[in-house]
Amino acid sequence: MTDIINQASGELVTYEPVGPAELELMIRVLTDRLEASVPVLRAMWHDRYEAERALIEGRAKAMLTAKGATVTEKRAEADLASLPLRLEFDLKKEALHAGEELQKALTAKLYGLLNLNKAVTATYQSYGHGR
């Protein structure tokens, strides 16, 4: 059903819950993981905006010092000069998007576990185990 990390060895282990208590634990662990992702994503957004500002500044400075005769030549020269900054910006955006997609996937998994938990709890209660 899901992969968890063995705390002692660090290896990824496939884990199948066998009861409501274990399912509840998985929900709690996943919820904690999602909560911990918020400050990480915030820092990634900060890094992305810093990289974007650096790119804008670097490109503008390159435009001012460009030797091209026309605006098009100056823009092309500035674009070439700011390629390392563009790469840095693109890498920050890529990491941010990957983090956001992971957060979405974890949220979807959490909703699935919550629905499964409702079904398991209802089953246990219908057999008299929940009393």
Side-chain angles (χ1 to χ4, degrees), residues 37-124:
S37 73
V38 172
V40 173
L41 284 173
R42 183 175 184 267
M44 291 172 83
W45 272 106
H46 174 78
D47 292 346
R48 180 236 187 249
Y49 284 125
E50 286 291 318
E52 185 176 23
R53 282 189 286 275
L55 172 62
I56 292 168
E57 179 184 352
R59 189 172 182 280
K61 285 179 179 177
M63 279 282 288
L64 291 173
T65 59
K67 305 287 188 236
T70 66
V71 173
T72 304
E73 290 173 348
K74 287 183 180 220
R75 282 188 186 142
E77 199 176 314
D79 286 342
L80 287 173
S82 61
L83 273 178
L85 295 170
R86 167 63 66 185
L87 175 62
E88 183 69 22
F89 173 60
D90 289 344
L91 290 174
K92 299 289 184 185
K93 277 182 27 178
E94 183 181 324
L96 174 62
H97 290 309
E100 288 176 330
E101 290 302 315
L102 176 60
Q103 190 180 43
K104 286 178 191 174
L106 291 174
T107 300
K109 190 173 192 174
L110 175 62
Y111 288 145
L113 288 174
L114 289 170
N115 287 334
L116 183 60
N117 189 38
K118 285 180 189 177
V120 168
T121 301
T123 303
Y124 268 72

